[in-house]
Amino acid sequence: MFLSVFDLFKIGIGPSSSHTMGPMVAAERFLREIVQGEWPRPVGVEVARLSVSLHGSLAFTGVGHATDRAVILGLQGYTPLTVDPDAADAIIERIARTRRLSPPGHPEYRFDPQADLVFDRKAPLPGHANGMAFSAFDAGERLLLRRVYYSVGGGFVVSEEELQTLKAASKPPVDTRVPFPFANARQMLAMAEESGLSIADMKRANEETHLERAELDAGLDRIWETMAACIERGLSKEGVMPGGLNVRRRARDLHEKLEAEWRQNRPNPLAANDWLSVYAMAVNEENAAGGRVVTAPTNGAAGVVPAVLRYWLRFHVDADQKGIRDFLLTAAAIGGIIKHNASISGAEVGCQGEVGSASAMAAAGLAAVMGGTPAQVENAAEIALEHHLGMTCDPVAGLVQVPCIERNALGAVKAVTAASLAVKGDGKHFVSLDAAVETMRQTGLDMNERYKETSLGGLAVNVVEC
């Protein structure tokens, strides 16, 4: 099984990988389908108008997750990587005013966001909770092209046909072109024992079948630089986050208090937890505000891995650049196993698949750079994931703010605790990572839809009522 580190860690924008980045990718993909796709093209007829309908979780919480904005930006030709978050408002305003789209390489299309972007809460699409349908019409309003896409978590997007192909197979095919094609933790540990390599080294070997070493290292460095920049932005800003809940940013104030305490050399037995929390909250406040973030493995869980990495760099004297790369490679190996065998989508399995997966990834990365064996790394990931099982996804008002921001802080704390417990052990443990992943998958199937990113249950309901 090969899922690249750059598939798990995507540079994009907030507030959601499945509800913001995915729909933007789908929209841009539809543009390419109009120009390059193989579909019946009537002679002399051109596409004149576009429309989009959002379904399932995208319909219920799309406004709070900026799905509407993401679709408009995607239809204008932007991707999560290329869009400038600071310029997005002006782009959206211009399209709403002119009711026209002008993506590069395309003629101008009619598109009225008020009429052509529909939140359909009554008719979910059958393939996945995050479904969307794109349509293209000619000047006489004749339907020329319709495509359905699903945003399946972490910014991954599949077409209706691709989803059916994936479902037809019991598991995605194993990529035998890589030297270490582990599809689960058991295989990963067996390959590590046989080869004598670390999990990071095996993951690197797999990546280097597709990339040159220098390109891989540059990409890993760029991921961390983007994560670190997101932390710094989050620590520097204050004010109220958008969306209407009037939730204030707290990371800057907390950071200033921690720095003052640090300079005074005052003892603080909770220092590690405090620093972890402020780093994670800084990232997720930026994410909630639509800033530049890295999926890790999703936007809603984007603060856990950067917080733990930043904690390690600050408090561990042996931290270095190679360690950052090994951390990310190890985390990606664990994230790939989870996605391959369960899900990282809150709309599919609840927040156990987002913050739970992120905590497992961060715990594994930290255990690795602390000198843990592959068995101890797997143990760290299992501990972190096990203690997120059953966690629901119930964002208040559909915004990635409450409880998401603090939830990332707690996910980071759990990751460090899990890594510490694992490294102090011998790697032997009662519950395997594979068992925890399968339990998460089954729990997600059993979980009521109200608790899977629809904002129809849990805190999303009770906070408003109180």
Side-chain angles (χ1 to χ4, degrees), residues 53-82:
S53 59
L54 304 172
H55 302 260
S57 178
L58 295 180
F60 282 106
T61 62
V63 173
H65 287 76
T67 306
D68 47 351
R69 292 165 55 84
V71 167
I72 294 169
L73 291 168
L75 290 177
Q76 185 60 26
Y78 292 99
T79 69
L81 183 60
T82 61

Side-chain angles (χ1 to χ4, degrees), residues 1-3 172-182 206 209-210 340:
M1 186 273 299
F2 178 75
L3 188 66
V174 172
D175 189 344
T176 56
R177 296 171 296 175
V178 298
F180 301 102
F182 51 84
N206 287 348
T209 63
H210 301 267
H340 181 75

Side-chain angles (χ1 to χ4, degrees), residues 100-130:
R100 294 290 187 274
L101 294 163
S102 52
H106 291 254
E108 190 174 75
Y109 300 126
R110 288 188 289 113
F111 181 82
D112 180 356
Q114 292 297 318
D116 295 321
L117 182 53
V118 178
F119 290 84
D120 188 342
R121 297 179 174 88
K122 296 181 179 179
L125 296 176
H128 188 277
N130 292 335

Side-chain angles (χ1 to χ4, degrees), residues 152-428:
V152 295
F156 291 89
V157 172
V158 294
S159 68
E160 195 168 32
E161 296 75 20
E162 290 165 347
L163 185 65
Q164 293 307 314
T165 300
L166 289 174
K167 287 185 174 182
S170 58
K171 283 286 189 296
V174 172
D175 189 344
T176 56
R177 296 171 296 175
V178 298
F180 301 102
F182 51 84
N184 54 46
R186 178 181 56 79
Q187 294 174 358
M188 179 183 71
L189 291 178
M191 291 179 189
E193 183 174 1
E194 182 178 352
S195 67
L197 296 175
S198 69
I199 294 170
D201 287 339
M202 291 192 298
K203 182 63 176 167
R204 175 176 286 277
N206 287 348
E207 295 286 346
E208 289 179 357
T209 63
H210 301 267
L211 296 171
E212 294 293 332
R213 173 161 294 203
E215 187 178 2
L216 173 61
D217 286 343
L220 292 170
D221 294 345
R222 185 164 54 250
I223 288 171
W224 170 240
E225 288 165 4
T226 306
M227 288 179 170
C230 185
I231 292 175
E232 291 304 318
R233 287 196 309 273
L235 295 178
S236 69
K237 293 184 179 180
E238 56 187 354
V240 175
M241 287 175 286
L245 285 182
N246 295 318
V247 175
R248 297 191 64 82
R249 288 178 180 255
R250 289 182 287 164
R252 176 174 172 171
D253 183 57
L254 290 171
H255 183 247
E256 289 175 351
K257 290 177 180 177
L258 287 174
E259 285 287 7
E261 187 178 79
W262 186 269
R263 288 191 296 270
Q264 293 170 11
N265 219 13
R266 292 168 53 191
N268 178 2
L270 297 177
N273 286 359
D274 290 343
W275 285 103
L276 282 164
S277 297
V278 78
Y279 292 148
M281 290 172 67
V283 171
N284 284 86
E285 288 176 357
E286 273 297 289
N287 178 62
R292 178 73 67 201
V293 296
V294 179
T295 62
T298 67
N299 281 29
V304 179
V305 168
V308 175
L309 237 177
R310 180 69 174 267
Y311 154 84
W312 174 69
L313 288 168
R314 178 159 192 151
F315 290 100
H316 290 246
V317 295
D318 55 348
D320 58 16
Q321 191 69 25
K322 179 182 182 302
I324 294 173
R325 296 167 183 164
D326 287 347
F327 186 113
L328 293 173
L329 288 167
T330 305
I334 299 302
I337 287 172
I338 295 172
K339 177 170 171 53
H340 181 75
N341 294 287
S343 176
I344 58 172
S345 168
E348 277 192 301
V349 297
C351 198
Q352 58 176 351
E354 297 205 27
V355 171
S357 297
S359 187
M361 292 165 63
L366 182 59
V369 296
M370 289 171 63
T373 65
Q376 290 170 323
V377 169
E378 184 262 358
N379 188 13
E382 183 280 322
I383 294 170
L385 184 60
E386 179 184 345
H387 298 289
H388 284 87
L389 291 176
M391 181 174 283
T392 61
C393 183
D394 51 354
V396 176
L399 299 169
V400 192
Q401 298 178 17
V402 179
C404 316
I405 294 170
E406 288 180 354
R407 190 167 283 176
N408 275 258
L410 272 293
V413 171
K414 286 185 182 181
V416 171
T417 302
S420 181
L421 285 172
V423 170
K424 289 179 172 62
D426 59 6
K428 298 177 182 178

